[in-house]
Amino acid sequence: MPLKTKDWYAWLNLMPPPPDDFHVIGKVLVSNPGVLAQLCFKEPQGINPTILLLDLHLVQQPGMWPQVMTWATARYDEILPPGSAKYSEVEVFFENAPIARTKVDVVS
């Protein structure tokens, strides 16, 4: 069964005071409430520095969990150093396959 995701959103926060910060969130349908959805910086990044590539990892926590489909929130947060490149889009991958792409909103 292919992975189901929804509600992807990315934003760049340029509100004072510095530093600027960048965030990505989305929801992933997982098999039980004990599965954590984690977004990590993809290595290697693509050739376009304005498109951030992220890997989605699903991590089963130990213990007994009811086997009920649940929406888990995946989140990525980054503090941007002054003068760093600003992202315009984000693409999320799961097992090297693209699963989501979203534009970045700028909050200033």
Side-chain angles (χ1 to χ4, degrees):
M1 178 168 107
L3 189 67
K4 291 186 180 177
T5 71
K6 67 178 184 177
D7 300 338
W8 289 99
Y9 183 63
W11 72 98
L12 173 62
N13 179 11
L14 301 178
M15 296 290 287
D20 299 335
D21 48 82
F22 179 77
H23 310 275
V24 180
I25 58 173
K27 295 193 181 287
V28 182
L29 191 61
V30 295
S31 61
N32 68 71
V35 176
L36 296 180
Q38 299 175 334
L39 291 173
C40 302
F41 191 78
K42 185 171 179 54
E43 294 286 352
Q45 285 289 297
I47 59 171
N48 185 342
T50 65
I51 301 175
L52 175 65
L53 305 181
L54 296 175
D55 273 327
L56 172 68
H57 298 282
L58 300 178
V59 180
Q60 176 65 60
Q61 298 301 295
M64 298 293 290
W65 297 94
Q67 296 302 301
V68 57
M69 299 300 282
T70 305
W71 288 102
T73 300
R75 184 176 182 106
Y76 176 83
D77 299 293
E78 180 180 350
I79 302 294
L80 298 175
S84 65
K86 305 292 190 238
Y87 305 120
S88 62
E89 285 185 70
V90 175
E91 189 163 14
V92 179
F93 291 80
F94 180 68
E95 297 177 347
N96 287 320
I99 58 168
R101 189 172 188 132
T102 187
K103 298 274 188 201
V104 174
D105 281 345
V106 176
V107 178
S108 58

